[in-house]
Amino acid sequence: MKIDRNTKVNNLLCLLGIKNQQNQFKRSELVSQKKWGIANLEDWQFTSNLDEAVPGYFLYPSGLGPFPTLLYCHAHGEKYDIGRQELLDGRRSLQSDYGSTLVNKGFALLCLEMPCFGGRQFPDESSRSKAGLWWGKPLFGQMISELLAGIEFLNQNPLVDSNRIGTLGISMGGTHAWWLASLDERISASVNMCCFADLNLLIQTGQHDGHGQYMTVPGLLTQFSTGQIAGLAAPRPQLVCVGLQDWSTPAKCFYLSRDELMKCYKKACVSNNIEFFVDKNAGHEETAQMREKIMTFLKEKL
């Protein structure tokens, strides 16, 4: 029996412990606003459906909106002190920060601080992961739920062109980016870096243990593969960027997921909407050529 997209999405949300696809923050408070170079930077504090404070930066150009907008998903890298500051300051695995780069190109950006990072470092990842799994609410599900609420915030924001909302991230942030595009059709395009590999094959080859505990979703592989989940974003444009020397994305694991993802877009008759940038010599990092490809993709698709 053929299972439609909505059923697959609902099954994924159930595995994530998310009850309502249309997640919203309970409260949204603008803490402060200031000029950031030639742009505007707003410091927000949201309240999640778990009554947790979720800090966020909303960065947007000077001038009149609405603007094409990216939900920028920050990385992990065991750098728990960084969090949302990655938007403004970048990190070692990036060519430079994306905040200044994209706002100068006319994009607005929202970056939410995930559990375990920045001002939310306690409880830590281990404690949160264990408690969540005991309650059937994995940490990854909490992260995705908050990011879905972020999309709702953007969708209601008059400065945002709700028809041009995208996702972008590297590593953990990249994983968040393609999952969000698969779950929420309000996302028009997505870009992910250094995070795309078949999980089952990672386990079979013993290459899965380098990933953080946050990724553990009980029962996921009994129903879905990486390529199948990412394929739910079709027909919307998606760019997958990998380096084949990346510990998190071994070549065999990447190619298996790539082939599955390409089949999904081919089936939807939109093969031109799935793009890959593969650097055989790059590791867990953004290269200059990768940055160039991403900027071109965003300009054309968003």
Side-chain angles (χ1 to χ4, degrees):
M1 181 179 67
K2 184 178 179 181
I3 302 177
D4 63 19
R5 181 187 180 280
N6 287 339
T7 300
K8 292 176 181 177
V9 168
N10 287 333
N11 288 344
L12 279 170
L13 292 170
C14 183
L15 290 170
L16 293 172
I18 299 175
K19 294 183 179 180
N20 182 4
Q21 185 175 359
Q22 301 302 319
N23 289 273
Q24 300 183 25
F25 290 120
K26 285 186 175 181
R27 290 181 295 279
S28 302
E29 179 186 356
L30 177 59
V31 177
S32 65
Q33 181 179 15
K34 65 180 181 181
K35 295 297 290 186
W36 192 72
I38 61 172
N40 302 291
L41 178 63
E42 295 181 350
D43 184 358
W44 284 82
Q45 181 153 292
F46 304 100
T47 302
S48 75
N49 55 22
L50 297 177
D51 289 317
E52 280 196 41
V54 181
Y57 284 138
F58 182 58
L59 181 67
Y60 60 95
S62 297
L64 298 175
F67 305 104
T69 302
L70 286 157
L71 178 59
Y72 182 86
C73 307
H74 73 73
H76 188 302
E78 297 186 346
K79 301 294 184 182
Y80 295 100
D81 58 318
I82 296 179
R84 63 175 175 159
Q85 281 299 130
E86 181 184 315
L87 176 67
L88 308 181
D89 299 337
R91 62 168 58 228
R92 289 185 62 184
S93 56
L94 293 171
Q95 288 290 304
S96 65
D97 72 273
Y98 265 102
S100 60
T101 300
L102 286 171
V103 78
N104 288 334
K105 296 293 184 180
F107 290 87
L109 302 102
L110 173 69
C111 184
L112 300 177
E113 198 143 79
M114 291 288 92
C116 318
F117 295 90
R120 306 178 69 188
Q121 291 182 60
F122 305 101
D124 63 14
E125 184 177 3
S126 177
S127 298
R128 285 181 178 269
S129 296
K130 292 171 184 175
L133 292 174
W134 282 332
W135 283 108
K137 296 180 179 181
L139 177 56
F140 191 75
Q142 181 184 352
M143 291 177 169
I144 292 293
S145 179
E146 292 176 3
L147 291 166
L148 288 171
I151 295 169
E152 178 65 20
F153 167 79
L154 292 176
N155 196 58
Q156 300 298 323
N157 193 318
L159 290 168
V160 173
D161 183 342
S162 60
N163 293 315
R164 292 192 291 169
I165 297 175
T167 56
L168 167 66
I170 187 171
S171 195
M172 179 182 79
T175 304
H176 288 158
W178 64 259
W179 266 81
L180 289 167
S182 299
L183 293 171
D184 197 323
E185 292 183 295
R186 293 174 296 179
I187 294 171
S188 300
S190 67
V191 177
N192 67 76
M193 295 176 275
C194 306
C195 60
F196 199 71
D198 184 78
L199 298 177
N200 184 41
L201 190 54
L202 277 177
I203 294 170
Q204 289 181 29
T205 55
Q207 296 172 291
H208 64 289
D209 200 34
H211 289 279
Q213 297 179 62
Y214 78 92
M215 281 184 65
T216 306
V217 179
L220 180 66
L221 295 183
T222 65
Q223 298 186 45
F224 296 97
S225 67
T226 297
Q228 290 167 349
I229 298 170
L232 293 173
R236 290 161 289 137
Q238 186 172 177
L239 172 62
V240 179
C241 302
V242 300
L244 296 186
Q245 302 307 311
D246 185 349
W247 61 267
S248 73
T249 311
K252 288 183 179 180
C253 302
F254 162 67
Y255 286 127
L256 177 57
S257 290
R258 180 204 63 178
D259 292 347
E260 285 191 337
L261 181 52
M262 289 175 66
K263 287 179 182 178
C264 294
Y265 275 76
K266 184 177 181 180
K267 186 176 180 180
C269 300
V270 286
S271 296
N272 60 320
N273 274 355
I274 181 64
E275 299 183 37
F276 298 90
F277 181 88
V278 181
D279 189 326
K280 295 181 179 180
N281 299 313
H284 197 70
E285 60 190 331
E286 179 191 41
T287 64
Q289 294 77 16
M290 195 180 293
R291 173 66 66 97
E292 183 179 355
K293 175 65 177 178
I294 290 169
M295 296 303 295
T296 300
F297 177 88
L298 292 175
K299 180 180 178 180
E300 292 178 353
K301 305 298 185 181
L302 201 62

